[in-house]
Every structure is written in structure tokens, then in C-alpha cells.
Amino acid sequence: MEKAEISLLKDGFQLEIPNAEPITIFHQWLRDHCRCAECYNDTTNQRKLSILDFPPDIFPREYNLSDGVLEVIWDGGHRSKYQISWLVKNARFLGHNQERKITPVPWFKLPDVARVELNSYMNTDAGLSEVLSSLLRYGVAFVTGVEATLAVTEKLITRMAPVQKTFFGEMWEVHNEEIADASEVASETDIKPHYDTAYTSIALGAHTDNTYWCDAAGLQVFHGLEPARIGGETLLVDGLNVSMQLKQRYPESYERLTRMPVSATYVEEGQHHTHVDPILKLHPVTRELLQIRFNLYDRSVLRTLPRDQIQQHYNDLRLIAAIVADKEGETRVKLSPGEVIFIDNWRVMHGRTAYSGSRLLAGGYVSRTDWRSRAAVMGLLDN
């Protein structure tokens, strides 16, 4: 760190670093971020200090900057020390809560995403890191050479993070048992059917899963154990690209879709899930796209908007739906046994072409907090 200088202000310090904008560091913020053993537990990475443990007009009695360390003795006698490098990283207040080491890249057609061989993924940090990096950059990654069984697919997922348990179970299989025959299937197999369009052979437009949950699955993982003889290709559409196109071409519609509350619902015997949120959720700090919640199948009765906004909402919904359905932005992938695909369900929409004959797809969900935790532990996210 180049030589820094510090000066006292009425309510804070001004830190000056060569070739950079001065940083104003408020006294309250500085006292709140003391990392001494009395104020912070390094083992649990949690504060011991309460915001009520010091007054709002806290003021330094003495301070000294030497060898890259700011030492402050506060009114009342508490002594705090701060590394200047730590302050430069954390005290700029620029509206960022996380520095990205990997910038998401929007795409029309699926680019050259990671395709990592099973042994590398399961047994090396480099292999796992390649898959996670691809998910952070493109929202999609593959692992190849996987035995075509549900058990091995589960082991593959848990190498990254726990399988998310939901009312669908943990690992699941999707096949084309007709919904009308679900009661017969249940009696024969003792497995309760799910009344979802995914369990048919008709085409599914691009969508994200779980828009009816307050915390939709973070990753969707598919393994085509038995591909359909005709059709049954997986569709992929980049929601980041969709939102950027919408913002560029129809900025007013984009703005409304980031604010308008729209509800989604899933109902079956013993289950009734409903959640309300905008179709385009923005990060509360950066205002960048955090999540696309696009699923035309799971929309509830539209009663979350005032009467005078209904017509406009349908116009906006048509615009984003047309971009999602545009074949120019669609990639088709024929999943085959041995090839597992990881999809960021908060970003990349998936669908399926219609098919004939039998088709068996294995898969599971991973929560967003779990897979991004693994990415942070591996140094791919800088919190």
C-alpha cells in the first residue's frame, strides 16, 4: 500500500490514497467495524459489539496512522486498529455489497461453457472450480462421463452442495406418465404423482422453476437417463440477455416489470404454494438483475395490480414473452446418458420440445445460497 494520509473531520476521517479519490470514513461506521477481540469474534466471524454499545456522536480522543495501520482511541478509552488496505476495500460506500471476480456474460446462443470430465470434477478443485466459474459467467455448465443412474447423479450434485429438499423430494425423476393416469401410477408404484406439465410429453416453453416459492431453487440439475427417440430436446434461454434486450428496446416496460408484483401458484393435493414478486428482480444495492421469475404456466389469477395497470401489464408481459420465445435467442441441447447439465435457475430459462415415446430425466435442485457459498469458499466470489 502506497503512503496514505488521514485527517480528522467533524463526523469522520478523510483518508487520502495516492492516485485515488479521498475516502470519507464516518466515526460511527469505524467504531461499529472494530475487529478487536472485545468487539468481534474471529472464530464465528460475528460481531460482539451492539450498535447500542456506543453513542451516535462517538468521537476519537486520539488517532495515529503508521505502517499501514490506523489506530484510534475513542472517547471512553476503547482502542481500535484498522488496516488501511481493509479500509480502502470496504469504506468507499459505492453501492456494492460484493466484488465480482467473474462478470456474468449475456448470450444469444449458448457459448463454449465448461464441459468437465467426471473424475476431474469429483476429485480436483480445478474441475469443480471450472464448473462453478462457468455457472457464474454463463449460468450453464456440464459434467460428462457420468454413470446414468439417479444415485451417481446425486453424488455428483453433492460434490458441489447439498441437494435441496422440497415437496418434490430430493432427487427426482421426470417421465411422461400422463396426468390423467396419475392415480393409476400412484397405486402401482406407491409414489405420489405431481400434477405438473413437466410430467407430460408436450412442448414446454422456456421458463424458470419455482416462481411460486419465496426462495426458488438456485440450480436446476438434469441428467437424461433415457432420451426420447424423437424430440425431447432441452431449450435454454439466457434471462440476462432477455432483460438487457428488454431494457434497451422497451425501457419503460423493463422498469415496470422490475416493480410490478405478479403472483405464481402451485396446487396439488396437500400442497398450495403462492409467491408474489416482480418478474425481473433487481439487486437491492447494485440494481443489476438478481433473478428472472418468468413462468407463463404458473401464473396465478392476476389480482395483484390496480385496475388501471392491468392493460399495461399485459402489454409489458407480451413484450418480454416475445423476446423469450424468439428462436434467435434459443439454444437446443439433446441431453444424453452420461451428460449432466447444471443450470442457474435464477438466470437461465429452460424448456423442452415435444417428444414421442418414453423419456426419463433425473435431476435435483440446489439452493442458491449453497452453491454460491461453495463458489465463495473457492475464491470465485469476494464478499
Side-chain angles (χ1 to χ4, degrees), residues 127-171:
L128 177 57
S129 178
E130 187 176 351
V131 169
L132 288 166
S133 296
S134 186
L135 286 169
L136 291 168
R137 185 172 287 113
Y138 303 117
V140 179
F142 292 87
V143 176
T144 61
V146 184
E147 183 181 339
T149 67
L150 193 67
V152 174
T153 306
E154 180 176 15
K155 187 178 295 185
L156 183 83
I157 296 173
T158 56
R159 161 70 170 137
M160 178 185 294
V163 177
Q164 182 177 357
K165 186 174 183 178
T166 72
F167 68 83
F168 291 112
E170 293 183 48
M171 297 297 294

mmCIF file of all heavy atoms in Angstrom, residues 127-171:
data_model
loop_
_atom_site.group_PDB
_atom_site.id
_atom_site.type_symbol
_atom_site.label_atom_id
_atom_site.label_comp_id
_atom_site.label_asym_id
_atom_site.label_seq_id
_atom_site.Cartn_x
_atom_site.Cartn_y
_atom_site.Cartn_z
ATOM 1 N N GLY A 127 -11.360 -28.886 -11.305
ATOM 2 C CA GLY A 127 -12.545 -29.310 -12.040
ATOM 3 C C GLY A 127 -13.814 -28.683 -11.481
ATOM 4 O O GLY A 127 -14.663 -28.188 -12.237
ATOM 5 N N LEU A 128 -13.964 -28.699 -10.164
ATOM 6 C CA LEU A 128 -15.133 -28.080 -9.545
ATOM 7 C C LEU A 128 -15.149 -26.586 -9.798
ATOM 8 O O LEU A 128 -16.195 -25.994 -10.094
ATOM 9 C CB LEU A 128 -15.136 -28.366 -8.041
ATOM 10 C CG LEU A 128 -16.268 -27.738 -7.219
ATOM 11 C CD1 LEU A 128 -17.633 -28.156 -7.752
ATOM 12 C CD2 LEU A 128 -16.124 -28.105 -5.747
ATOM 13 N N SER A 129 -13.986 -25.942 -9.690
ATOM 14 C CA SER A 129 -13.882 -24.505 -9.927
ATOM 15 C C SER A 129 -14.283 -24.144 -11.351
ATOM 16 O O SER A 129 -14.931 -23.113 -11.588
ATOM 17 C CB SER A 129 -12.457 -24.025 -9.651
ATOM 18 O OG SER A 129 -12.325 -22.639 -9.907
ATOM 19 N N GLU A 130 -13.935 -24.996 -12.308
ATOM 20 C CA GLU A 130 -14.296 -24.723 -13.708
ATOM 21 C C GLU A 130 -15.804 -24.731 -13.894
ATOM 22 O O GLU A 130 -16.367 -23.899 -14.613
ATOM 23 C CB GLU A 130 -13.630 -25.746 -14.624
ATOM 24 C CG GLU A 130 -13.805 -25.438 -16.109
ATOM 25 C CD GLU A 130 -13.070 -26.408 -17.011
ATOM 26 O OE1 GLU A 130 -12.272 -27.233 -16.493
ATOM 27 O OE2 GLU A 130 -13.303 -26.354 -18.236
ATOM 28 N N VAL A 131 -16.481 -25.681 -13.253
ATOM 29 C CA VAL A 131 -17.938 -25.744 -13.339
ATOM 30 C C VAL A 131 -18.566 -24.519 -12.684
ATOM 31 O O VAL A 131 -19.458 -23.871 -13.255
ATOM 32 C CB VAL A 131 -18.461 -27.044 -12.686
ATOM 33 C CG1 VAL A 131 -19.984 -27.000 -12.527
ATOM 34 C CG2 VAL A 131 -18.058 -28.250 -13.515
ATOM 35 N N LEU A 132 -18.115 -24.168 -11.487
ATOM 36 C CA LEU A 132 -18.666 -23.010 -10.778
ATOM 37 C C LEU A 132 -18.394 -21.716 -11.541
ATOM 38 O O LEU A 132 -19.260 -20.836 -11.622
ATOM 39 C CB LEU A 132 -18.074 -22.935 -9.373
ATOM 40 C CG LEU A 132 -18.570 -23.985 -8.382
ATOM 41 C CD1 LEU A 132 -17.679 -24.029 -7.148
ATOM 42 C CD2 LEU A 132 -20.016 -23.713 -7.982
ATOM 43 N N SER A 133 -17.214 -21.591 -12.101
ATOM 44 C CA SER A 133 -16.868 -20.385 -12.867
ATOM 45 C C SER A 133 -17.787 -20.234 -14.080
ATOM 46 O O SER A 133 -18.231 -19.128 -14.410
ATOM 47 C CB SER A 133 -15.409 -20.443 -13.321
ATOM 48 O OG SER A 133 -14.530 -20.442 -12.212
ATOM 49 N N SER A 134 -18.077 -21.350 -14.747
ATOM 50 C CA SER A 134 -18.973 -21.325 -15.895
ATOM 51 C C SER A 134 -20.385 -20.922 -15.485
ATOM 52 O O SER A 134 -21.072 -20.168 -16.197
ATOM 53 C CB SER A 134 -18.978 -22.696 -16.577
ATOM 54 O OG SER A 134 -19.721 -22.677 -17.764
ATOM 55 N N LEU A 135 -20.827 -21.396 -14.331
ATOM 56 C CA LEU A 135 -22.150 -21.007 -13.826
ATOM 57 C C LEU A 135 -22.200 -19.523 -13.512
ATOM 58 O O LEU A 135 -23.197 -18.848 -13.802
ATOM 59 C CB LEU A 135 -22.494 -21.826 -12.581
ATOM 60 C CG LEU A 135 -22.881 -23.281 -12.824
ATOM 61 C CD1 LEU A 135 -22.936 -24.054 -11.517
ATOM 62 C CD2 LEU A 135 -24.225 -23.365 -13.544
ATOM 63 N N LEU A 136 -21.149 -18.987 -12.920
ATOM 64 C CA LEU A 136 -21.108 -17.569 -12.603
ATOM 65 C C LEU A 136 -21.052 -16.712 -13.865
ATOM 66 O O LEU A 136 -21.633 -15.631 -13.925
ATOM 67 C CB LEU A 136 -19.903 -17.254 -11.719
ATOM 68 C CG LEU A 136 -19.951 -17.815 -10.295
ATOM 69 C CD1 LEU A 136 -18.594 -17.683 -9.627
ATOM 70 C CD2 LEU A 136 -21.021 -17.101 -9.472
ATOM 71 N N ARG A 137 -20.360 -17.203 -14.877
ATOM 72 C CA ARG A 137 -20.177 -16.411 -16.105
ATOM 73 C C ARG A 137 -21.362 -16.560 -17.062
ATOM 74 O O ARG A 137 -21.872 -15.574 -17.595
ATOM 75 C CB ARG A 137 -18.881 -16.839 -16.790
ATOM 76 C CG ARG A 137 -18.526 -16.017 -18.015
ATOM 77 C CD ARG A 137 -17.133 -16.360 -18.526
ATOM 78 N NE ARG A 137 -16.100 -15.828 -17.635
ATOM 79 C CZ ARG A 137 -15.276 -16.571 -16.888
ATOM 80 N NH1 ARG A 137 -15.380 -17.898 -16.903
ATOM 81 N NH2 ARG A 137 -14.381 -16.007 -16.113
ATOM 82 N N TYR A 138 -21.813 -17.792 -17.288
ATOM 83 C CA TYR A 138 -22.831 -18.049 -18.301
ATOM 84 C C TYR A 138 -24.140 -18.617 -17.748
ATOM 85 O O TYR A 138 -25.139 -18.662 -18.465
ATOM 86 C CB TYR A 138 -22.294 -19.035 -19.341
ATOM 87 C CG TYR A 138 -21.030 -18.579 -20.023
ATOM 88 C CD1 TYR A 138 -19.845 -19.301 -19.891
ATOM 89 C CD2 TYR A 138 -21.011 -17.428 -20.811
ATOM 90 C CE1 TYR A 138 -18.674 -18.895 -20.522
ATOM 91 C CE2 TYR A 138 -19.846 -17.009 -21.442
ATOM 92 C CZ TYR A 138 -18.685 -17.751 -21.291
ATOM 93 O OH TYR A 138 -17.530 -17.340 -21.908
ATOM 94 N N GLY A 139 -24.130 -19.128 -16.520
ATOM 95 C CA GLY A 139 -25.329 -19.723 -15.957
ATOM 96 C C GLY A 139 -25.540 -21.170 -16.348
ATOM 97 O O GLY A 139 -26.581 -21.758 -16.014
ATOM 98 N N VAL A 140 -24.571 -21.791 -17.041
ATOM 99 C CA VAL A 140 -24.700 -23.169 -17.505
ATOM 100 C C VAL A 140 -23.337 -23.858 -17.430
ATOM 101 O O VAL A 140 -22.305 -23.218 -17.687
ATOM 102 C CB VAL A 140 -25.209 -23.238 -18.965
ATOM 103 C CG1 VAL A 140 -25.314 -24.693 -19.439
ATOM 104 C CG2 VAL A 140 -26.556 -22.549 -19.106
ATOM 105 N N ALA A 141 -23.329 -25.139 -17.079
ATOM 106 C CA ALA A 141 -22.105 -25.946 -17.112
ATOM 107 C C ALA A 141 -22.493 -27.410 -17.258
ATOM 108 O O ALA A 141 -23.616 -27.811 -16.903
ATOM 109 C CB ALA A 141 -21.270 -25.741 -15.849
ATOM 110 N N PHE A 142 -21.559 -28.229 -17.776
ATOM 111 C CA PHE A 142 -21.787 -29.659 -17.962
ATOM 112 C C PHE A 142 -20.714 -30.461 -17.236
ATOM 113 O O PHE A 142 -19.567 -30.024 -17.115
ATOM 114 C CB PHE A 142 -21.719 -30.036 -19.450
ATOM 115 C CG PHE A 142 -22.841 -29.501 -20.287
ATOM 116 C CD1 PHE A 142 -22.757 -28.241 -20.851
ATOM 117 C CD2 PHE A 142 -23.976 -30.267 -20.522
ATOM 118 C CE1 PHE A 142 -23.780 -27.749 -21.651
ATOM 119 C CE2 PHE A 142 -25.007 -29.786 -21.310
ATOM 120 C CZ PHE A 142 -24.905 -28.509 -21.874
ATOM 121 N N VAL A 143 -21.108 -31.646 -16.776
ATOM 122 C CA VAL A 143 -20.149 -32.661 -16.329
ATOM 123 C C VAL A 143 -20.415 -33.897 -17.178
ATOM 124 O O VAL A 143 -21.573 -34.318 -17.341
ATOM 125 C CB VAL A 143 -20.296 -32.976 -14.833
ATOM 126 C CG1 VAL A 143 -19.340 -34.113 -14.437
ATOM 127 C CG2 VAL A 143 -20.005 -31.737 -13.991
ATOM 128 N N THR A 144 -19.351 -34.489 -17.716
ATOM 129 C CA THR A 144 -19.503 -35.607 -18.645
ATOM 130 C C THR A 144 -18.926 -36.898 -18.055
ATOM 131 O O THR A 144 -18.193 -36.881 -17.070
ATOM 132 C CB THR A 144 -18.784 -35.295 -19.968
ATOM 133 O OG1 THR A 144 -17.384 -35.101 -19.712
ATOM 134 C CG2 THR A 144 -19.343 -34.029 -20.610
ATOM 135 N N GLY A 145 -19.274 -38.009 -18.677
ATOM 136 C CA GLY A 145 -18.765 -39.308 -18.245
ATOM 137 C C GLY A 145 -19.408 -39.820 -16.973
ATOM 138 O O GLY A 145 -18.783 -40.570 -16.208
ATOM 139 N N VAL A 146 -20.679 -39.441 -16.737
ATOM 140 C CA VAL A 146 -21.379 -39.800 -15.503
ATOM 141 C C VAL A 146 -22.223 -41.051 -15.733
ATOM 142 O O VAL A 146 -22.959 -41.140 -16.724
ATOM 143 C CB VAL A 146 -22.287 -38.642 -15.045
ATOM 144 C CG1 VAL A 146 -22.952 -38.975 -13.706
ATOM 145 C CG2 VAL A 146 -21.494 -37.341 -14.942
ATOM 146 N N GLU A 147 -22.133 -42.019 -14.842
ATOM 147 C CA GLU A 147 -22.968 -43.213 -14.931
ATOM 148 C C GLU A 147 -24.434 -42.800 -14.899
ATOM 149 O O GLU A 147 -24.848 -41.969 -14.079
ATOM 150 C CB GLU A 147 -22.660 -44.168 -13.780
ATOM 151 C CG GLU A 147 -23.431 -45.474 -13.847
ATOM 152 C CD GLU A 147 -23.118 -46.385 -12.664
ATOM 153 O OE1 GLU A 147 -22.059 -46.197 -12.033
ATOM 154 O OE2 GLU A 147 -23.951 -47.282 -12.387
ATOM 155 N N ALA A 148 -25.221 -43.380 -15.783
ATOM 156 C CA ALA A 148 -26.612 -42.958 -15.965
ATOM 157 C C ALA A 148 -27.529 -43.576 -14.920
ATOM 158 O O ALA A 148 -28.410 -44.392 -15.220
ATOM 159 C CB ALA A 148 -27.086 -43.313 -17.365
ATOM 160 N N THR A 149 -27.330 -43.193 -13.662
ATOM 161 C CA THR A 149 -28.198 -43.632 -12.569
ATOM 162 C C THR A 149 -28.522 -42.441 -11.687
ATOM 163 O O THR A 149 -27.789 -41.448 -11.649
ATOM 164 C CB THR A 149 -27.523 -44.707 -11.700
ATOM 165 O OG1 THR A 149 -26.398 -44.124 -11.008
ATOM 166 C CG2 THR A 149 -27.060 -45.882 -12.541
ATOM 167 N N LEU A 150 -29.632 -42.563 -10.968
ATOM 168 C CA LEU A 150 -30.046 -41.488 -10.066
ATOM 169 C C LEU A 150 -29.045 -41.331 -8.927
ATOM 170 O O LEU A 150 -28.708 -40.211 -8.520
ATOM 171 C CB LEU A 150 -31.437 -41.803 -9.506
ATOM 172 C CG LEU A 150 -32.156 -40.662 -8.785
ATOM 173 C CD1 LEU A 150 -32.506 -39.559 -9.758
ATOM 174 C CD2 LEU A 150 -33.427 -41.187 -8.109
ATOM 175 N N ALA A 151 -28.518 -42.455 -8.404
ATOM 176 C CA ALA A 151 -27.598 -42.420 -7.263
ATOM 177 C C ALA A 151 -26.302 -41.699 -7.616
ATOM 178 O O ALA A 151 -25.799 -40.885 -6.828
ATOM 179 C CB ALA A 151 -27.308 -43.836 -6.779
ATOM 180 N N VAL A 152 -25.751 -41.987 -8.772
ATOM 181 C CA VAL A 152 -24.496 -41.344 -9.171
ATOM 182 C C VAL A 152 -24.732 -39.865 -9.482
ATOM 183 O O VAL A 152 -23.893 -39.016 -9.184
ATOM 184 C CB VAL A 152 -23.868 -42.069 -10.376
ATOM 185 C CG1 VAL A 152 -22.638 -41.313 -10.879
ATOM 186 C CG2 VAL A 152 -23.479 -43.490 -9.981
ATOM 187 N N THR A 153 -25.881 -39.559 -10.052
ATOM 188 C CA THR A 153 -26.216 -38.160 -10.310
ATOM 189 C C THR A 153 -26.298 -37.384 -9.003
ATOM 190 O O THR A 153 -25.832 -36.237 -8.902
ATOM 191 C CB THR A 153 -27.543 -38.057 -11.076
ATOM 192 O OG1 THR A 153 -27.484 -38.858 -12.264
ATOM 193 C CG2 THR A 153 -27.839 -36.617 -11.459
ATOM 194 N N GLU A 154 -26.876 -37.994 -7.977
ATOM 195 C CA GLU A 154 -26.956 -37.343 -6.670
ATOM 196 C C GLU A 154 -25.557 -37.110 -6.093
ATOM 197 O O GLU A 154 -25.266 -36.041 -5.545
ATOM 198 C CB GLU A 154 -27.781 -38.197 -5.707
ATOM 199 C CG GLU A 154 -27.899 -37.580 -4.315
ATOM 200 C CD GLU A 154 -28.788 -38.395 -3.403
ATOM 201 O OE1 GLU A 154 -29.088 -39.563 -3.738
ATOM 202 O OE2 GLU A 154 -29.190 -37.868 -2.345
ATOM 203 N N LYS A 155 -24.697 -38.101 -6.215
ATOM 204 C CA LYS A 155 -23.330 -37.950 -5.713
ATOM 205 C C LYS A 155 -22.617 -36.800 -6.428
ATOM 206 O O LYS A 155 -21.854 -36.048 -5.826
ATOM 207 C CB LYS A 155 -22.571 -39.260 -5.909
ATOM 208 C CG LYS A 155 -21.188 -39.284 -5.280
ATOM 209 C CD LYS A 155 -20.506 -40.625 -5.459
ATOM 210 C CE LYS A 155 -21.244 -41.731 -4.728
ATOM 211 N NZ LYS A 155 -20.514 -43.031 -4.789
ATOM 212 N N LEU A 156 -22.908 -36.654 -7.702
ATOM 213 C CA LEU A 156 -22.325 -35.566 -8.490
ATOM 214 C C LEU A 156 -22.762 -34.210 -7.937
ATOM 215 O O LEU A 156 -21.957 -33.294 -7.768
ATOM 216 C CB LEU A 156 -22.773 -35.711 -9.946
ATOM 217 C CG LEU A 156 -22.219 -34.704 -10.938
ATOM 218 C CD1 LEU A 156 -20.854 -35.138 -11.400
ATOM 219 C CD2 LEU A 156 -23.166 -34.571 -12.136
ATOM 220 N N ILE A 157 -24.055 -34.081 -7.650
ATOM 221 C CA ILE A 157 -24.574 -32.813 -7.143
ATOM 222 C C ILE A 157 -23.969 -32.483 -5.784
ATOM 223 O O ILE A 157 -23.537 -31.349 -5.529
ATOM 224 C CB ILE A 157 -26.112 -32.855 -7.051
ATOM 225 C CG1 ILE A 157 -26.728 -33.003 -8.444
ATOM 226 C CG2 ILE A 157 -26.653 -31.604 -6.361
ATOM 227 C CD1 ILE A 157 -28.225 -33.215 -8.431
ATOM 228 N N THR A 158 -23.919 -33.484 -4.887
ATOM 229 C CA THR A 158 -23.459 -33.210 -3.527
ATOM 230 C C THR A 158 -21.965 -32.919 -3.455
ATOM 231 O O THR A 158 -21.478 -32.468 -2.422
ATOM 232 C CB THR A 158 -23.808 -34.383 -2.590
ATOM 233 O OG1 THR A 158 -23.256 -35.592 -3.104
ATOM 234 C CG2 THR A 158 -25.317 -34.525 -2.458
ATOM 235 N N ARG A 159 -21.233 -33.169 -4.534
ATOM 236 C CA ARG A 159 -19.836 -32.718 -4.591
ATOM 237 C C ARG A 159 -19.777 -31.198 -4.514
ATOM 238 O O ARG A 159 -18.852 -30.621 -3.953
ATOM 239 C CB ARG A 159 -19.196 -33.219 -5.891
ATOM 240 C CG ARG A 159 -17.930 -32.496 -6.345
ATOM 241 C CD ARG A 159 -16.767 -32.782 -5.443
ATOM 242 N NE ARG A 159 -15.527 -32.275 -6.009
ATOM 243 C CZ ARG A 159 -14.590 -31.625 -5.336
ATOM 244 N NH1 ARG A 159 -14.744 -31.396 -4.036
ATOM 245 N NH2 ARG A 159 -13.492 -31.222 -5.929
ATOM 246 N N MET A 160 -20.811 -30.535 -5.044
ATOM 247 C CA MET A 160 -20.868 -29.076 -5.024
ATOM 248 C C MET A 160 -21.587 -28.556 -3.790
ATOM 249 O O MET A 160 -21.094 -27.661 -3.097
ATOM 250 C CB MET A 160 -21.578 -28.561 -6.278
ATOM 251 C CG MET A 160 -21.732 -27.044 -6.347
ATOM 252 S SD MET A 160 -22.712 -26.506 -7.776
ATOM 253 C CE MET A 160 -21.638 -26.996 -9.132
ATOM 254 N N ALA A 161 -22.761 -29.114 -3.504
ATOM 255 C CA ALA A 161 -23.596 -28.613 -2.406
ATOM 256 C C ALA A 161 -24.695 -29.630 -2.122
ATOM 257 O O ALA A 161 -24.951 -30.518 -2.950
ATOM 258 C CB ALA A 161 -24.206 -27.259 -2.791
ATOM 259 N N PRO A 162 -25.378 -29.513 -0.981
ATOM 260 C CA PRO A 162 -26.454 -30.459 -0.686
ATOM 261 C C PRO A 162 -27.596 -30.343 -1.689
ATOM 262 O O PRO A 162 -27.872 -29.258 -2.215
ATOM 263 C CB PRO A 162 -26.923 -30.031 0.716
ATOM 264 C CG PRO A 162 -25.803 -29.221 1.276
ATOM 265 C CD PRO A 162 -25.143 -28.555 0.120
ATOM 266 N N VAL A 163 -28.249 -31.464 -1.949
ATOM 267 C CA VAL A 163 -29.466 -31.431 -2.756
ATOM 268 C C VAL A 163 -30.551 -30.743 -1.938
ATOM 269 O O VAL A 163 -30.740 -31.036 -0.758
ATOM 270 C CB VAL A 163 -29.910 -32.853 -3.144
ATOM 271 C CG1 VAL A 163 -31.220 -32.820 -3.930
ATOM 272 C CG2 VAL A 163 -28.821 -33.545 -3.942
ATOM 273 N N GLN A 164 -31.250 -29.810 -2.566
ATOM 274 C CA GLN A 164 -32.303 -29.070 -1.863
ATOM 275 C C GLN A 164 -33.543 -29.947 -1.716
ATOM 276 O O GLN A 164 -34.096 -30.434 -2.698
ATOM 277 C CB GLN A 164 -32.655 -27.792 -2.638
ATOM 278 C CG GLN A 164 -33.709 -26.932 -1.961
ATOM 279 C CD GLN A 164 -33.975 -25.642 -2.724
ATOM 280 O OE1 GLN A 164 -33.335 -25.351 -3.733
ATOM 281 N NE2 GLN A 164 -34.918 -24.854 -2.238
ATOM 282 N N LYS A 165 -33.991 -30.145 -0.487
ATOM 283 C CA LYS A 165 -35.171 -30.965 -0.233
ATOM 284 C C LYS A 165 -36.423 -30.103 -0.327
ATOM 285 O O LYS A 165 -36.526 -29.060 0.317
ATOM 286 C CB LYS A 165 -35.085 -31.613 1.145
ATOM 287 C CG LYS A 165 -36.207 -32.601 1.421
ATOM 288 C CD LYS A 165 -36.004 -33.327 2.742
ATOM 289 C CE LYS A 165 -37.080 -34.361 2.982
ATOM 290 N NZ LYS A 165 -36.877 -35.107 4.246
ATOM 291 N N THR A 166 -37.370 -30.543 -1.149
ATOM 292 C CA THR A 166 -38.629 -29.826 -1.324
ATOM 293 C C THR A 166 -39.760 -30.841 -1.275
ATOM 294 O O THR A 166 -39.537 -32.031 -1.042
ATOM 295 C CB THR A 166 -38.656 -29.094 -2.688
ATOM 296 O OG1 THR A 166 -38.798 -30.072 -3.733
ATOM 297 C CG2 THR A 166 -37.371 -28.295 -2.903
ATOM 298 N N PHE A 167 -40.997 -30.402 -1.536
ATOM 299 C CA PHE A 167 -42.095 -31.364 -1.547
ATOM 300 C C PHE A 167 -42.000 -32.300 -2.745
ATOM 301 O O PHE A 167 -42.689 -33.323 -2.806
ATOM 302 C CB PHE A 167 -43.456 -30.660 -1.522
ATOM 303 C CG PHE A 167 -43.805 -29.890 -2.763
ATOM 304 C CD1 PHE A 167 -44.360 -30.530 -3.861
ATOM 305 C CD2 PHE A 167 -43.590 -28.522 -2.830
ATOM 306 C CE1 PHE A 167 -44.706 -29.830 -4.994
ATOM 307 C CE2 PHE A 167 -43.922 -27.806 -3.964
ATOM 308 C CZ PHE A 167 -44.484 -28.471 -5.057
ATOM 309 N N PHE A 168 -41.126 -31.990 -3.715
ATOM 310 C CA PHE A 168 -40.846 -32.928 -4.798
ATOM 311 C C PHE A 168 -39.914 -34.043 -4.334
ATOM 312 O O PHE A 168 -39.653 -34.987 -5.084
ATOM 313 C CB PHE A 168 -40.186 -32.200 -5.978
ATOM 314 C CG PHE A 168 -41.092 -31.249 -6.697
ATOM 315 C CD1 PHE A 168 -40.868 -29.879 -6.639
ATOM 316 C CD2 PHE A 168 -42.165 -31.713 -7.434
ATOM 317 C CE1 PHE A 168 -41.694 -28.995 -7.310
ATOM 318 C CE2 PHE A 168 -43.002 -30.834 -8.111
ATOM 319 C CZ PHE A 168 -42.772 -29.473 -8.041
ATOM 320 N N GLY A 169 -39.392 -33.924 -3.111
ATOM 321 C CA GLY A 169 -38.404 -34.853 -2.600
ATOM 322 C C GLY A 169 -37.024 -34.234 -2.709
ATOM 323 O O GLY A 169 -36.875 -33.006 -2.713
ATOM 324 N N GLU A 170 -36.003 -35.052 -2.778
ATOM 325 C CA GLU A 170 -34.647 -34.562 -3.001
ATOM 326 C C GLU A 170 -34.297 -34.834 -4.470
ATOM 327 O O GLU A 170 -34.567 -34.018 -5.334
ATOM 328 C CB GLU A 170 -33.692 -35.217 -2.008
ATOM 329 C CG GLU A 170 -33.988 -34.774 -0.568
ATOM 330 C CD GLU A 170 -33.029 -35.335 0.453
ATOM 331 O OE1 GLU A 170 -31.810 -35.252 0.226
ATOM 332 O OE2 GLU A 170 -33.495 -35.876 1.472
ATOM 333 N N MET A 171 -33.756 -35.991 -4.779
ATOM 334 C CA MET A 171 -33.591 -36.352 -6.188
ATOM 335 C C MET A 171 -34.941 -36.791 -6.755
ATOM 336 O O MET A 171 -35.777 -37.344 -6.051
ATOM 337 C CB MET A 171 -32.567 -37.469 -6.328
ATOM 338 C CG MET A 171 -31.167 -37.101 -5.873
ATOM 339 S SD MET A 171 -30.434 -35.772 -6.837
ATOM 340 C CE MET A 171 -30.287 -36.565 -8.448
#
